[in-house]
Amino acid sequence: MADPTHSDPKLISREKRKTVGDITVDNPRMTCRNVNVYYGEKQAIRNVSLDIARNEVIAMIGPSGCGKSTFIRCLNRMNDTIESCRVEGEIIIDDVNIYGRDIDVVPLRAQVGMVFQKPNPFPKSIYENVAYGPKIHGLSQSRAELDEIVETSLKKAGLWEEVKDQLEHPGTGLSGGQQQRLCIARTIAVSPEVILMDEPCSALDPIATARIEDLIDELREQYSIVIVTHSMQQASRVSQRTAYFHLGDLIEVGKTTDIFTRPKHQLTEDYITGRFG
Amino acid sequence: MSPYSLMILLLCLSSAAYYLGKKKAFAVSADVGGARQLHSRPTYYGALAARWCGIPALILFAGWLGLEDHIITGMVVSELPETLQNLPADRINLLVNDIQNMVTGNIVSREVDDVMRAAADHYRHLQNISSAALAVLVLAVGIGGMLWVRSRIVPSLRARNHVERIIRYLLIFCSTIAIFTTIGIVLSVLYEAIRFFHAVPVTEFLFGLKWSPQMAIRADQVGSSGAFGAIPVFAGTAMISAIAMLVAVPIGLMSAIYMSEYADRRFRDAAKPLMEILAGIPTVVYGFFAALIVAPFIRDAGTTIGLDVSSESALAAGLVMGIMIIPFVSSLSDDIINAVPQALRDGAYGLGATQSETIKQVVLPAALPGIVGGVLLAISRAIGETMIVVMAAGLAANLTANPLATMTTVTVQIVTLLVGDQEFDSPKTLAAFALGLVLFIVTLLLNVIALHVVRKYREQYE
């Protein structure tokens, strides 16, 4: 087999890049098996298999371009919006392969919500931002019910006290941290079961980051959360399990405490000790 | 020396000044340790010398050419015999015209006598002196400027700052040309319009219901009283523009939505340039397309279903104008829809919105202010459009709501009022300026509003 990585001494051969650690959990919320992702000719994810447990926060770490964002965007098929992107393998939620032939992405994305790197509130009022999801999915029968959903979601996102008197103000007028919490509230409002967070704090200051981390910890009681982060401190603070990605391979999965104290794979150790990344 | 050869000489002189300045800069820098010790790069010293050589000389040149005629004429007139000098001003003007015609060899309107011949000779003589003096002066100023700068080149001379300041003035000058031209056009239109409003009251012009811009030459002529109520003309413009927008806005907007949200790249790459070809067709071509194909087609179609359609209908002109404006609306909207951040779409998709929900409820509302701005620009384009309506809309100023009837527009009336030999003291001709003024004000307002809206939209995502 001609493997280009052999010729490059800096890279480690295929054999040594098999996933280390236990990828499975009991009673998983989502199950990914042999996921390969291609952007045109280029392969971004190789043979990744991973379970996502219920009521856990699992952190995806790894150097830039390692495929962690690509991987979580597979979990609710957000990659569909990229024309050249192709996904192979199985991702199963509730016994259904989401890349199966008859799958409608609309209910899937309501079930697996997503929070993005940059806060992206709609240019609408705060109320409308949160109410948008419930409206399109018909989750409320009356205005009162909708008000209720908006209030609960904003409370869960820890934003209610700050915005309850200005629900009609535009969501874009809030501060960065508030905007990100608004986006989380917006995601919660459609009552998803899994929340994907793609570097949710990278555009925020430390105080706003701390608030979001507290929030993630609270949300774990009801949701499974998959978070991509560049900050290893953040991963160790918020997550129970951690997955380390390297150049499209899932290198190591395990309990967060184990990964950060006793990494089994050389690449993981190099990364968390700051030798590269 | 003719002005042209003088100009070329001046250019050569400036180039020479550039090299001399640069050389001098190298020379003075050699004493203090090389070109690195100069305040500016050597080319800036050359550029400074070239500018000081060229610009003052050019200003002198332009000023001289501007005043030359006036001064020479004055001198010739003062040399004329007493009897001629005491003539009234307009007679003297005629005389001067004749003298100038004699000098240039054109046809002269009267008997050529000795006085005139002498005056013409005198004129020619003065012209020769003037052009010689001009050449000497311009070259002297050019060389003087060059030598002056050259003598001042020392390593500490801040040549770059000087050159950049001169260039900045040049930029300011260029940017004000457009502004002053606009002001000039507005003032000239305004002046004639005011003359028109002396003859016809503003209220009658703006609110009158009958447009029939005839003026009697003799008092007993038929149709001696003109009617200058512009409402039917404005109504025609409004009707045809409205028809055009009814065609252009839905088609343009929907094609923009398809292009930016649904079409794959290959289709977009092929279709966009094709749509832009539509924008490149000259309006006169659209005009005869409207007059020869669309209008007869509409008339025939109307006849078959029992409608009375005139062969020049507002509908035909409006339809074709709408087609002309489609690429305008679609490419503006396309840009604006593309400017809506992908993050917003992702946000909506991430909540489980379908593509059409995302477009209708997130992308379009976000793009709406910009689209409105684009549509307003398109409207002002439609209002000002002339050629299509001249050829397809007709001349009769009917005040009607029937799009199948002949209607006329402001632009068509301006064209018909001003084409051919016209006297500029009758309200008939001056009415064109009043119409132009109103048209200008309307499109200006629309543009200001549109640009304001567009700018406000741009700030939203900064």
Side-chain angles (χ1 to χ4, degrees):
Chain A
M1 281 284 272
D3 187 339
T5 53
H6 276 300
S7 56
D8 189 344
K10 273 190 289 183
L11 298 174
I12 296 175
S13 71
R14 278 250 59 88
E15 270 313 293
K16 294 201 181 127
R17 298 172 68 174
K18 280 202 171 142
T19 307
V20 176
D22 192 3
I23 58 160
T24 61
V25 294
D26 293 335
N27 189 17
R29 178 72 270 206
M30 293 184 86
T31 312
C32 312
R33 288 295 174 265
N34 303 324
V35 176
N36 287 291
V37 183
Y38 304 85
Y39 290 120
E41 293 294 300
K42 191 175 159 285
Q43 188 164 13
I45 298 274
R46 278 191 210 92
N47 253 338
V48 170
S49 299
L50 183 65
D51 282 358
I52 288 154
R54 289 164 200 270
N55 301 342
E56 77 159 355
V57 178
I58 178 166
M60 310 275 153
I61 60 169
S64 298
C66 67
K68 50 197 190 308
S69 291
T70 301
F71 178 70
I72 75 161
R73 287 171 69 95
C74 291
L75 298 180
N76 69 344
R77 292 188 56 172
M78 278 304 284
N79 282 339
D80 291 11
T81 58
I82 299 166
E83 255 176 56
S84 61
C85 183
R86 186 160 55 85
V87 179
E88 289 169 359
E90 276 189 332
I91 298 177
I92 291 163
I93 184 165
D94 294 336
D95 300 324
V96 179
N97 178 10
I98 64 169
Y99 279 94
R101 208 176 294 160
D102 300 326
I103 292 301
D104 186 3
V105 296
V106 168
L108 169 70
R109 287 181 187 151
Q111 197 178 7
V112 183
M114 186 154 194
V115 176
F116 297 86
Q117 182 169 0
K118 229 181 114 207
N120 56 351
F122 302 133
K124 300 172 189 274
S125 70
I126 294 170
Y127 183 94
E128 285 295 323
N129 260 284
V130 182
Y132 181 71
K135 270 188 188 167
I136 56 173
H137 294 297
L139 298 183
S140 62
Q141 307 296 321
S142 63
R143 173 81 188 193
E145 225 175 312
L146 193 61
D147 289 350
E148 175 81 30
I149 294 176
V150 170
E151 185 176 338
T152 329
S153 309
L154 283 170
K155 275 182 177 161
K156 277 190 195 164
L159 192 61
W160 176 251
E161 287 304 317
E162 291 159 59
V163 300
K164 63 181 176 190
D165 299 324
Q166 42 168 332
L167 291 177
E168 298 312 314
H169 289 220
T172 42
L174 296 172
S175 74
Q178 288 175 323
Q179 287 190 12
Q180 194 62 299
R181 276 181 282 147
L182 179 62
C183 292
I184 292 174
R186 185 174 74 182
T187 308
I188 295 171
V190 293
S191 359
E193 291 158 22
V194 180
I195 301 177
L196 311 173
M197 296 188 173
D198 190 353
E199 298 181 42
C201 302
S202 66
L204 305 181
D205 66 72
I207 295 169
T209 302
R211 294 213 53 164
I212 304 262
E213 286 178 6
D214 289 346
L215 175 60
I216 291 171
D217 215 39
E218 287 164 28
L219 294 175
R220 176 164 70 91
E221 288 165 21
Q222 294 175 49
Y223 311 98
S224 300
I225 295 174
V226 184
I227 180 171
V228 167
T229 176
H230 270 295
S231 153
M232 282 175 277
Q233 288 83 353
Q234 183 170 59
S236 64
R237 280 194 300 261
V238 300
S239 69
Q240 285 74 54
R241 283 203 306 151
T242 296
Y244 172 68
F245 282 79
H246 185 89
L247 296 176
D249 292 289
L250 177 56
I251 300 296
E252 184 166 353
V253 190
K255 284 209 171 72
T256 300
T257 45
D258 293 344
I259 295 268
F260 283 103
T261 53
R262 296 183 296 277
K264 291 180 190 139
H265 198 289
Q266 187 61 40
L267 282 170
T268 319
E269 191 178 335
D270 288 351
Y271 182 69
I272 62 170
T273 53
R275 220 165 290 170
F276 62 81
Chain B
M1 191 180 294
S2 80
Y4 301 108
S5 43
L6 191 59
M7 284 292 288
I8 291 168
L9 200 64
L10 200 57
L11 266 179
C12 298
L13 200 62
S14 296
S15 318
Y18 177 82
Y19 284 106
L20 286 176
K22 202 166 138 183
K23 228 174 114 190
K24 176 75 187 290
F26 275 118
V28 294
S29 69
D31 303 336
V32 292
R36 299 211 130 248
Q37 301 303 316
L38 291 170
H39 170 271
S40 313
R41 307 283 300 275
T43 48
Y44 281 107
Y45 292 91
L48 187 65
R51 278 165 181 71
W52 271 105
C53 167
I55 292 173
L58 261 183
I59 292 171
L60 176 76
F61 185 69
W64 190 286
L65 287 188
L67 293 175
E68 186 186 34
D69 224 29
H70 196 69
I71 293 171
I72 292 179
T73 310
M75 287 168 76
V76 169
V77 170
S78 68
E79 292 289 310
L80 287 175
E82 283 291 312
T83 48
L84 288 176
Q85 278 198 49
N86 291 336
L87 288 171
D90 49 345
R91 293 291 306 276
I92 291 188
N93 266 343
L94 276 176
L95 190 65
V96 170
N97 262 341
D98 276 335
I99 294 170
Q100 283 173 343
N101 283 342
M102 267 186 76
V103 171
T104 49
N106 283 345
I107 300 164
V108 179
S109 67
R110 68 174 80 190
E111 287 286 309
V112 178
D113 55 21
D114 282 345
V115 177
M116 276 194 62
R117 204 167 282 127
D121 285 342
H122 187 49
Y123 194 100
R124 215 173 274 137
H125 177 66
L126 286 175
Q127 257 188 338
N128 287 339
I129 293 178
S130 157
S131 83
L134 174 65
V136 170
L137 262 179
V138 163
L139 292 180
V141 167
I143 293 170
M146 171 174 82
L147 292 177
W148 181 67
V149 171
R150 193 170 172 274
S151 71
R152 289 187 29 147
I153 291 177
V154 287
S156 63
L157 177 67
R158 301 158 76 86
R160 174 166 45 78
N161 307 40
H162 289 301
V163 170
E164 279 169 4
R165 190 168 340 115
I166 292 171
I167 290 176
R168 202 170 66 231
Y169 290 142
L170 186 74
L171 297 181
I172 292 172
F173 174 71
C174 290
S175 62
T176 48
I177 283 182
I179 297 169
F180 283 119
T181 313
T182 314
I183 293 173
I185 291 174
V186 172
L187 286 182
S188 70
V189 172
L190 193 66
Y191 176 72
E192 303 292 345
I194 288 171
R195 281 179 63 196
F196 171 74
F197 290 132
H198 281 310
V200 178
V202 181
T203 46
E204 192 196 319
F205 174 72
L206 287 180
F207 304 112
L209 296 181
K210 190 166 168 1
W211 177 261
S212 159
Q214 265 69 262
M215 269 323 216
I217 295 169
R218 306 182 311 274
D220 57 341
Q221 210 171 4
V222 182
S224 59
S225 61
F228 291 96
I231 290 283
V233 185
F234 294 141
T237 292
M239 163 79 90
I240 290 176
S241 302
I243 294 172
M245 297 321 286
L246 280 179
V247 175
V249 171
I251 297 180
L253 193 55
M254 286 186 199
S255 80
I257 290 171
Y258 178 72
M259 289 286 188
S260 59
E261 298 291 320
Y262 290 100
D264 65 19
R265 243 217 350 265
R266 263 176 307 163
F267 180 80
R268 196 162 51 230
D269 289 349
K272 272 202 96 166
L274 286 177
M275 281 207 73
E276 266 139 33
I277 289 177
L278 209 57
I281 297 175
T283 56
V284 66
V285 177
Y286 279 112
F288 51 72
F289 175 62
L292 300 181
I293 296 168
V294 178
F297 173 77
I298 289 175
R299 191 189 52 211
D300 296 347
T303 318
T304 45
I305 57 170
L307 283 173
D308 182 26
V309 184
S310 73
S311 59
E312 288 176 326
S313 61
L315 187 62
L319 280 179
V320 174
M321 198 195 280
I323 290 168
M324 181 194 81
I325 295 173
I326 288 172
F328 196 71
V329 174
S330 80
S331 79
L332 266 173
S333 313
D334 191 32
D335 289 348
I336 288 157
I337 290 173
N338 273 327
V340 174
Q342 180 64 29
L344 277 186
R345 297 188 183 89
D346 283 350
Y349 290 139
L351 291 173
T354 63
Q355 193 167 13
S356 85
E357 282 167 345
T358 305
I359 292 167
K360 277 185 296 194
Q361 292 159 10
V362 175
V363 177
L364 284 186
L368 191 65
I371 292 173
V372 170
V375 168
L376 287 178
L377 286 178
I379 293 176
S380 67
R381 179 94 197 268
I383 291 176
E385 170 51 38
T386 309
M387 220 51 231
I388 294 174
V389 280
V390 166
M391 296 174 83
L395 292 173
N398 289 324
L399 184 56
T400 168
N402 175 10
L404 303 176
T406 300
M407 292 187 93
T408 191
T409 70
V410 177
T411 48
V412 172
Q413 287 307 311
I414 293 176
V415 170
T416 46
L417 290 175
L418 288 184
V419 165
D421 285 337
Q422 300 293 349
E423 50 205 323
F424 270 74
D425 52 357
S426 94
K428 179 187 172 210
T429 315
L430 294 174
F433 292 95
L435 287 174
L437 185 68
V438 174
L439 197 63
F440 172 77
I441 292 170
V442 170
T443 50
L444 181 73
L445 280 180
L446 280 174
N447 281 350
V448 167
I449 296 170
L451 289 177
H452 178 74
V453 169
V454 170
R455 194 174 309 135
K456 208 170 156 198
Y457 163 77
R458 287 220 178 102
E459 282 161 6
Q460 208 171 332
Y461 294 112
E462 290 301 303

